[in-house]
């Protein structure tokens, strides 16, 4: 099969993989980059190195990082694949050795059944930027700004097992809360890495069966885990087949644990699925959670495929708030907006604390998952501001980048990559977080196309300066 097969939209157009690793400096800028913005924007995504073996799913591709270093008015760009073990094995073989999630899993495979691609998420923790995988894998540490893979972070040998995408780093204590999950027991495992970089908790949380997990949320004292009714079909699982079903007749359950505890308390809410939370916090006895709720992720039963392809998943997420009363057990929930948004972010310096603003890409009217603009939500005032990228232009996850020396929420910039499908080129866009509707302060023209991808992270200048090297890491 050729990697450019015409049958898969996630190998074409804005999603088509790139084949070169590039370094470029002093990039041309339309407008003016803020002088008080120093740091690095890094985005992860799926980019198969070799023509896929078997049927390809967008989630299968090798992790590739695209980085934009902003240094008070100048910009440079680099992109690198994450050198995972599977990537190295395939490099040595000169071809794909793994099949993806659309094919029957080989459960006998060492390190399998699927290739840990590290293609999904990023988090900066304890001096290193870590690339993470949605299904739960190793934490691959990369150097900045080069994006070269340094090794595997196993937290001084204290981490047994994997970490799924979307761990949450407490901005004050430096603790990293994470979960991992499986189709076999334990179906859900919760863990905490201390600010000193050692795993201090890693224990199973009992849920009734295998779920397609994706995210968690944290407050200052609690972690919110999920038991949402998007489940691996138990009857088919018993026969060795993996297939995901949504059970509308089952409630959504949110499990709240004290941060360093497995003493879970479950709250039931209306049936739903959710890929991404935005933030959570405490208001007295109430735990508040805001995220992108999907009422019904699979409107029609898919055929017998391991995970529904995106064309059968109904990505209709809306901003939503849940309020869990720890004193009475009561749950209140409400939809906050009627525009579809996903891949939401907030000011990371406020993670787990009450936040007012969220920055969420707006879903375009397209068969594939594309974003045609960004919405800034003011959840206290109930207002929003939007900026559309223009016809044929699609952006990705939008991260908040604080202004030098700022501490107030929203005092900074928004950064994302935008792909111009009509011109086949990409740029980075910098917006004023306080005036999103005004449009870009700067457009950085990139030397190479950046395919549509997944999650991104803003690494601040102090974090760049605090980076540790490969010492203490395991070899990939
Ligand atoms: Fe995600």
């Amino acid at each position: 099969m050729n990697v450019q097969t015409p049958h898969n939209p996630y190998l074409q157009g804005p999603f088509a993989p790139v084949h070169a690793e590039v370094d470029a400096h002093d990039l041309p800028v339309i407008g003016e980059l803020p002088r008080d913005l120093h740091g690095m924007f890094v985005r992860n995504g799926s980019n198969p190195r070799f023509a896929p073996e078997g049927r390809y799913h967008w989630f299968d591709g090798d992790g590739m990082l695209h980085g934009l270093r902003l240094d008070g008015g100048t910009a440079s760009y680099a992109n690198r694949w994450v050198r995972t073990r599977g990537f190295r094995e395939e490099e040595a073989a000169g071809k794909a050795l793994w099949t993806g999630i659309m094919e029957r899993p080989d459960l006998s495979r060492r390190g399998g059944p699927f290739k840990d691609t590290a293609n999904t998420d990023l988090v900066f923790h304890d001096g290193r930027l870590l690339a993470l995988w949605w299904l739960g894998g190793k934490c691959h540490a990369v150097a900045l700004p080069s994006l070269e893979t340094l090794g595997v972070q196993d937290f001084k040998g204290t981490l047994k097992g994997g970490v799924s995408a979307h761990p949450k780093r407490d901005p004050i204590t430096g603790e990293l809360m994470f979960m991992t999950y499986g189709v076999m027991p334990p179906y859900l495992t919760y863990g905490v890495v201390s600010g000193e970089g050692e795993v201090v908790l890693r224990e199973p949380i009992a849920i009734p069966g295998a779920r397609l997990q994706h995210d968690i949320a944290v407050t200052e004292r609690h972690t919110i885990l999920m038991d949402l009714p998007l489940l691996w079909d138990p009857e088919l699982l018993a026969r060795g087949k993996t297939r995901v079903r949504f059970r509308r007749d089952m409630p959504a359950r949110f499990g709240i644990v004290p941060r360093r505890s497995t003493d879970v308390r479950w709250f039931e809410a209306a049936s739903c699925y959710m890929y991404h939370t935005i933030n959570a916090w405490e208001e007295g006895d109430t735990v508040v959670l805001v995220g992108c709720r999907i009422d019904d992720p699979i409107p029609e039963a898919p055929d017998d495929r391991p995970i529904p392809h995106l064309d059968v998943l109904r990505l209709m997420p809306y901003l939503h708030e849940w309020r869990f009363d720890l004193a009475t057990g009561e749950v209140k929930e409400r939809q906050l907006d009627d525009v579809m948004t996903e891949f939401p972010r907030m000011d990371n310096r406020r993670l787990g604390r009450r936040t007012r603003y969220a920055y969420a890409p707006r879903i375009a009217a397209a068969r594939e998952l594309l974003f045609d603009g960004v919405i800034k939500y003011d959840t206290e005032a109930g207002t929003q501001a939007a900026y559309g990228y223009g016809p044929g232009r699609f952006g990705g996850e939008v991260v908040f980048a604080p202004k030098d020396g700022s501490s107030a929420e929203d005092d900074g910039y928004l950064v994302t990559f935008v792909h111009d499908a009509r011109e086949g080129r990409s740029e980075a866009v910098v917006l004023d977080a306080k005036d999103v509707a005004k449009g870009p302060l700067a457009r950085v023209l990139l030397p190479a196309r950046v395919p549509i991808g997944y999650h991104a992270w803003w690494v601040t200048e102090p974090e760049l300066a605090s980076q540790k090297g490969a010492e203490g890491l395991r070899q990939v």
Side-chain angles (χ1 to χ4, degrees):
M1 182 195 274
N2 187 286
V3 78
Q4 298 294 349
T5 171
H7 306 298
N8 194 320
Y10 289 94
L11 290 171
Q12 310 204 32
F15 296 90
V18 293
H19 307 292
E21 296 182 317
V22 173
D23 293 278
H25 303 281
D26 290 320
L27 300 174
V29 177
I30 299 171
E32 194 168 349
L33 282 167
R35 302 283 161 179
D36 56 0
L37 179 58
H38 294 80
M40 189 164 175
F41 172 70
V42 186
R43 203 218 64 201
N44 205 344
S46 162
N47 194 103
R49 169 71 180 81
F50 293 105
E53 185 69 29
R55 288 175 294 178
Y56 177 75
H57 191 287
W58 188 34
F59 296 170
D60 292 337
D62 298 294
M64 180 179 271
L65 305 178
H66 300 263
L68 182 78
R69 170 83 168 107
L70 295 178
D71 198 7
T74 62
S76 12
Y77 167 83
N79 69 313
R80 290 290 185 279
W81 272 292
V82 185
R83 263 55 183 186
T84 64
R85 178 178 290 180
F87 181 93
R88 289 173 195 269
E89 288 171 354
E90 293 187 336
E91 276 270 280
K95 62 174 184 171
L97 300 173
W98 298 71
T99 49
I101 58 175
M102 299 293 283
E103 299 294 335
R104 183 69 51 89
D106 176 2
L107 297 170
S108 67
R109 182 165 198 155
R110 185 177 72 91
F114 304 116
K115 179 171 57 174
D116 176 354
T117 59
N119 71 6
T120 312
D121 193 23
L122 293 163
V123 66
F124 192 91
H125 174 261
D126 191 28
R128 294 187 180 94
L129 186 69
L130 305 175
L132 303 152
W133 186 38
W134 62 279
L135 202 44
K138 296 171 183 167
C139 301
H140 289 84
V142 297
L144 301 173
S146 70
L147 302 176
E148 303 292 348
T149 303
L150 287 170
V152 169
Q153 172 62 287
D154 67 354
F155 305 105
K156 303 168 192 163
T158 60
L159 178 66
K160 312 293 180 199
V163 170
S164 292
H166 302 303
K168 297 289 181 278
R169 182 192 68 175
D170 186 305
I172 309 299
T173 68
E175 291 163 292
L176 190 73
M177 280 57 73
F178 67 93
M179 64 87 183
T180 188
Y181 62 102
V183 295
M184 306 301 282
Y187 299 122
L188 176 63
T189 299
Y190 169 54
V192 180
V193 183
S194 70
E196 292 72 45
E198 292 186 14
V199 174
V200 291
L201 176 78
R202 188 178 176 280
E203 292 289 337
I205 299 283
I207 56 173
R211 308 287 185 257
L212 189 60
Q213 300 276 354
H214 195 76
D215 203 354
I216 60 173
V218 297
T219 70
E220 277 184 87
R221 295 182 302 154
H222 294 93
T223 298
I224 306 174
L225 303 161
M226 286 172 251
D227 171 12
L228 307 179
L230 188 60
L231 38 119
W232 306 94
D233 187 309
E235 288 171 21
L236 288 172
L237 262 185
R239 304 209 305 267
K241 292 182 175 181
T242 48
R243 176 180 169 180
V244 175
R245 280 187 192 281
F246 183 65
R247 289 280 304 271
R248 271 209 76 73
D249 57 322
M250 292 171 64
R253 298 201 314 143
F254 294 85
I256 300 181
V257 288
R259 179 170 289 180
R260 294 195 180 193
S261 162
T262 54
D263 186 12
V264 62
R265 182 164 169 199
W266 291 101
F267 292 79
E268 290 192 358
S271 185
C272 73
Y273 191 66
M274 175 162 55
Y275 287 99
H276 299 117
T277 65
I278 300 175
N279 197 17
W281 61 86
E282 294 163 34
E283 293 179 11
D285 286 331
T286 299
V287 170
V288 181
L289 170 66
V290 180
C292 295
R293 178 184 183 273
I294 301 172
D295 192 56
D296 184 349
I298 311 180
E300 298 157 35
D303 59 17
D304 189 12
R305 290 183 287 188
I307 289 183
H309 201 264
L310 288 167
D311 57 7
V312 301
L313 283 180
R314 187 161 65 176
L315 273 162
M316 296 178 68
Y318 297 101
L319 194 71
H320 201 83
E321 178 194 82
W322 293 263
R323 301 178 73 87
F324 308 103
D325 191 322
L326 298 175
T328 66
E330 187 184 17
V331 179
K332 288 183 184 161
E333 59 177 299
R334 62 183 177 130
Q335 186 174 321
L336 298 179
D337 190 35
D338 58 4
V339 176
M340 289 190 286
T341 55
E342 242 294 350
F343 282 64
R345 293 300 294 268
M346 37 75 69
D347 184 339
N348 271 342
R349 299 172 299 178
R350 291 273 194 289
L351 189 81
R353 284 78 186 165
R354 182 173 180 155
T355 41
R356 178 168 179 174
Y357 302 104
Y359 316 101
R362 183 176 67 197
I363 295 181
R367 182 168 168 268
E368 301 84 31
L369 180 60
L370 291 168
F371 300 111
D372 64 3
V374 57
I375 294 180
K376 175 188 172 182
Y377 289 112
D378 178 338
T379 57
E380 280 183 16
T383 58
Q384 57 175 260
Y387 169 66
Y389 301 125
R393 289 163 59 85
F394 303 103
E397 184 164 283
V398 178
V399 300
F400 175 81
K403 199 178 275 185
D404 293 345
S406 80
S407 57
E409 184 185 0
D410 198 45
D411 191 10
Y413 304 96
L414 304 182
V415 186
T416 190
F417 288 132
V418 171
H419 177 72
D420 191 316
R422 297 184 302 184
E423 298 184 22
R425 59 174 189 79
S426 299
E427 60 192 47
V429 165
V430 179
L431 300 162
D432 182 349
K434 290 188 180 300
D435 193 356
V436 167
K438 183 171 66 180
L441 299 170
R443 295 167 55 199
V444 181
L445 305 182
L446 300 177
R449 189 169 56 75
V450 177
I452 302 292
Y454 305 128
H455 298 289
W457 190 269
W458 177 261
V459 185
T460 65
E461 196 68 21
E463 287 170 340
L464 283 176
S466 76
Q467 280 185 89
K468 297 174 181 173
E471 67 276 5
L473 299 177
R474 264 196 308 123
Q475 284 207 317
V476 172

